[in-house]
Amino acid sequence: MKNLLAQKTLQFFVKENQAARSAAEHADIIAEPGFGKHFTDHMVDICWSEMGGWHRPRVQPYGPIELDPAAAVLHYGQEIFEGLKAYRHADGSIWSFRPEANAARMQRSAARMALPELPTEYFIEALKQLIAVDSRWVPSAKEMSLYLRPFMFAKEAFLGVRAAKKVNFYVIASPAGPYFAGGVTPISIWLSTNYARAGKGGTGAAKTGGNYASGLIAQQEAYEHGCAQVLFLDSVEGKYIEELGGMNVVLVKKDGTLVTPESDSILAGITRDSILQLAEDRGHKVERRKVSIEEWRDGVASGEITEVFACGTAAVVTPIGRLVGVDFEAGDADAAAGPLTLSLREELTDIQYGRRADPHGWMMRLDA
Ligand SMILES: Cc1ncc(COP(=O)(O)O)c(C=O)c1O
């Protein structure tokens, strides 16, 4: 669906939050933010209608969204979102990492979910407008950041299966500490064979809530088996690895080759793309292809596969120590994190936090 008013410049109306958190409340939250628990004082809200295109961009106090009980999203799940971070550099400036890639992915998700595409410049401007009022929420402590959550959903009140004619786009933000409380230590992964996350021709490549909702039951199975995350297989043959509930997967072979699943039903992770680029820059071979679960299991057993890691914006890079299935276990939960996993993680986070050069021009300043 094309936006009708893409050529209009976005003039944001800003309404300051008169009930913003006090300096003391803010200091308490920032000291130990956890992940996804606390939100900043403001949010962005932009309306879209079939007739008027994108309009009424504003920054307003963070708070509940009024919804008609017949709002289409509540019934038909027409919704998409994104996730990226704002990082504070040593000089106090605030940056984000490849935000145009998130904007482009949101446009692809929108196209798949029959939602309007938000132009990249609107997406970026929305982030900058939010940072302009909520900059104090970007932490400066090590490995901390402000997690930015743009999302869009069908707000039109109607019961009937068709694309909504009224949609809103929002951005909220949440100060974030490390995603996994245990730090960068290997995690155990549960192999889901009862449930698939996405199917052929489905919405697996879109960042839409339904994909996550359908994976929750498998995530519960993972917890029951002492695992932190769930690994999904392809839904056609049940043979090839796809991704985790919220992260992509990369295997490292003993010759230094990095292998990652290629599939049109997984989310094209920006972290994965960046990590693989950094590995290629170092001279590593990278293979994007189908990867069977046997290749993982047998490779770990034979020593052909030396490291496995998961990657995504929230946790950056997380080593996978052990894979657990209904009738097998591979790897060792107590094994040390792999050296390549750790050094690629360090290189990427150094770029994100401005501690080393950014050779690919990935960083974009948000506060200037
Ligand atoms: C299902 C899924 N796969 C992969 C990723 C990784 O994507 P990115 O690296 O862009 O955060 C995410 C989001 O973080 C995700 O939700």
Side-chain angles (χ1 to χ4, degrees), residues 81-84 102 105 147 149 197 204 206-207 211-212 243-249 266-273 311-316:
F81 64 98
E82 267 305 323
L84 69 168
N102 293 91
R105 188 169 67 189
Y147 184 77
R149 168 53 60 88
R197 173 185 171 277
K207 205 161 168 63
N211 292 341
Y212 298 82
E243 61 180 330
L244 306 188
M247 280 183 281
N248 294 121
V249 181
I266 65 180
L267 194 79
I270 295 158
T271 314
R272 178 176 71 158
D273 186 67
C311 52
T313 296
V316 195

Side-chain angles (χ1 to χ4, degrees), residues 187-225:
I187 57 167
S188 296
I189 295 291
W190 170 249
L191 175 68
S192 173
T193 40
N194 286 329
Y195 306 104
R197 173 185 171 277
K200 193 169 157 40
T203 58
K207 205 161 168 63
T208 183
N211 292 341
Y212 298 82
S214 70
L216 294 178
I217 189 165
Q219 180 69 45
Q220 282 173 347
E221 270 189 0
Y223 293 149
E224 281 158 20
H225 289 86

Side-chain angles (χ1 to χ4, degrees), residues 122-161:
Y122 289 25
F123 184 95
I124 304 284
E125 186 57 23
L127 304 180
K128 289 184 172 176
Q129 291 282 338
L130 189 59
I131 291 297
V133 290
D134 276 341
S135 62
R136 68 173 179 150
W137 290 99
V138 184
S140 43
K142 199 166 187 299
E143 295 282 316
M144 289 201 186
S145 59
L146 183 67
Y147 184 77
L148 301 165
R149 168 53 60 88
F151 61 106
M152 185 193 295
F153 64 81
K155 217 176 187 183
E156 185 185 356
F158 78 101
L159 296 181
V161 182

Side-chain angles (χ1 to χ4, degrees), residues 252 307-309 317-320 337-346:
V252 182
E307 301 179 32
V308 185
F309 63 85
V317 171
T318 302
I320 298 177
L340 186 62
T341 303
L342 289 179
S343 80
L344 285 170
R345 184 183 204 283
E346 183 175 271

